[in-house]
Amino acid sequence: MDLLKSIFKGDKVIWIIFLVLCLISITEVFSAASTLTYKSGDHWGPITQHTILLSIGALIVVFVHNIPYKWFQALPYPLLLVSIILLLFVMVTGFVTGDRINGAARWMTFMGVQFQPSELAKMGVVMGTAVILSRGQDENGASPKAFKRIMIMTCIVCGLILPENYSTGVLLFSTVYLMMFIGRVQAKKLLMLGGGLVGLVVLFVSFLLATPNDTLEKIPMGHRFTTVKARIVDFAYAKEVPAAKFDIDGDAQVAHARIAVATSHVIGKGPGNSVQRDFLSQAYSDFIYAIIIEELGLIGGIVVVFLYVCLLIRVGRIAKKCDRTFPAFLVIGIALLLVTQALFNMMVAVGLAPVTGQPLPLISKGGTSTFINCAYIGMILSVSRYTAQLEEQRLHDAQIPMQIETGDITTTEQLSAGQEAEEPTSKLLNSDSEFK
């Protein structure tokens, strides 16, 4: 028991949520990866690889959650520099060699390992936003300089991500926008920014709908325009069609996902009994939530949503216990990123949003995303360890007057020495402002 406590430190609820999501992931990826099994001829290959990746991810959680949160303040700028270089490299490589997967240059291979630089960029931007907001706080909220710096950083990174991955760019910008709202950036600036973004989106969508596909394909940096247009049209102009007349030859992904959801009922078909996994492309990644509902029913789907909601609520409680702004903004930003991405994925699977290509965090099969998401959980646990130490310190400070009354501490010099010895290290080593 002592060994487990020494390993699994931090908030126990976060640990439970993480482990349950991993268990769901192993079960459902094993079922949903049937197409990979057919291609490779190896029944255990896909799930073995996924289990190994999750195991490495669990080790990442254990390692990161033992790091004091103060160290994370030094990571954003190196991460941003590396990710910007890698994003430029991937983009240029895609144009020079034409080497793209599903029409997009999002991946690069290093020493036989394939990963997405955008995942590093997302981490760098969220951590950078937390640092800037924490250091830019005053009595009236975040300073104008903080808003300017956040927008420069976010626009550069999102500008490099958007041409190859629109959904990731939108997801990242949305997370930063919510972080600025929580970080007390002036409401006027946020309203102007939100209004400007809505206007740009309307103009962009109108431009796509009004421009022929042949013209869109000739526009520089617009190689994804036709794909985005097709997804918007398929979603916006979808009509109710009787089952007998339903044509599955259109958007097959959406069609099979809807069939999986429609045939699930309350308790589902049971783990491993999915039918649509054999026809639905990316069933183990982008559309795994549809397979979860098909096999585990509405109950299983609700449980998954509940886990992400619990994650957000629990992180909110951890942030509330912080006495410094950086750890509070950091965990809130991470939770918003994970939960928003999960909502994107689940809404696509049930037909409430256009196809985006976002995996379900900690459940979908993946490489880079699995490791990065596990690092996020480790950061949340690191901050929860810090808040637990604060609670212990407050209890200790509350006991000092009782010790004085009972005669345990008899002199002012002893009281001062005791208080100095137990002074929280956060007040000595943190440069960010106090959280109020």
Side-chain angles (χ1 to χ4, degrees), residues 11 22 32 34-35 83 110 128 157 164 200 214 241 280 291 319 326 328 333 367 400 408 411:
D11 190 88
C22 288
S34 60
T35 54
S83 60
F110 179 73
V157 174
E164 304 295 341
L200 285 175
D214 293 340
V241 180
L280 178 59
I291 305 301
F326 172 71
I400 291 179
D408 293 339
T411 65

Side-chain angles (χ1 to χ4, degrees), residues 290-370:
I291 305 301
I292 290 174
I293 294 178
E294 184 184 11
E295 295 190 346
L296 305 181
L298 295 178
I299 295 176
I302 292 172
V303 168
V304 172
V305 174
F306 177 73
L307 289 172
Y308 287 110
V309 172
C310 286
L311 175 65
L312 185 61
I313 294 174
R314 196 67 184 180
V315 166
R317 292 183 178 179
I318 293 171
K320 191 175 181 179
K321 294 179 182 178
C322 294
D323 67 341
R324 296 281 163 172
T325 52
F326 172 71
F329 291 144
L330 176 64
V331 294
I332 289 173
I334 290 172
L336 288 172
L337 182 66
L338 292 175
V339 175
T340 304
Q341 182 174 328
L343 288 176
F344 264 73
N345 177 280
M346 292 185 285
M347 289 174 67
V348 169
V350 298
L352 295 179
V355 178
T356 59
Q358 291 296 324
L360 191 57
L362 298 172
I363 293 183
S364 293
K365 186 178 186 296
T368 314
S369 59
T370 298

Side-chain angles (χ1 to χ4, degrees), residues 204-226:
F204 178 66
V205 173
S206 301
F207 167 73
L208 291 180
L209 296 178
T211 308
N213 289 344
D214 293 340
T215 304
L216 291 176
E217 293 174 354
K218 297 177 182 178
I219 298 176
M221 306 291 290
H223 55 283
R224 297 282 297 170
F225 283 174
T226 54

Side-chain angles (χ1 to χ4, degrees), residues 88 168 194 200 260 266 321 390:
L88 284 170
T168 298
L200 285 175
V266 177
K321 294 179 182 178
L390 285 179

